[in-house]
Amino acid sequence: MGLWWLKEAIIPLLGLWLRAVALSADAGKTAFDWLGVGGRIAALLDVLQIGLGIYFVTRPYKIAARLIHAATSSAEVINEA
């Protein structure tokens, strides 16, 4: 899942940034100003998705241990009822 998120976020972020850099010179603005509010929000969401993707890629055993612990805890509660 983490690799998929990285692929889905890095490519659009690079495309957005390269477009902003290329077109900002023509508009006489900085790339950050050219992005506008919508572009900044899209870039921020891509950066957050990249961060989560990196977390999922670097911590698979920790995530699996938490999921297994949660599943066994809920199974014990169901069996007690």
Side-chain angles (χ1 to χ4, degrees):
M1 184 164 80
L3 290 174
W4 183 264
W5 281 14
L6 287 173
K7 179 191 81 78
E8 290 295 317
I10 289 175
I11 294 170
L13 182 62
L14 284 176
L16 178 68
W17 187 251
L18 290 174
R19 195 171 339 125
V21 168
L23 297 176
S24 65
D26 295 337
K29 299 180 181 179
T30 65
F32 194 70
D33 289 336
W34 184 87
L35 284 174
V37 176
R40 291 178 195 157
I41 290 172
L44 176 66
L45 291 176
D46 286 339
V47 169
L48 288 174
Q49 189 171 348
I50 290 169
L52 284 172
I54 290 171
Y55 177 76
F56 284 139
V57 168
T58 59
R59 305 276 188 222
Y61 297 111
K62 183 179 271 191
I63 295 168
R66 287 182 185 168
L67 290 173
I68 291 170
H69 177 71
T72 56
S73 297
S74 63
E76 290 173 1
V77 170
I78 292 172
N79 289 335
E80 290 176 2

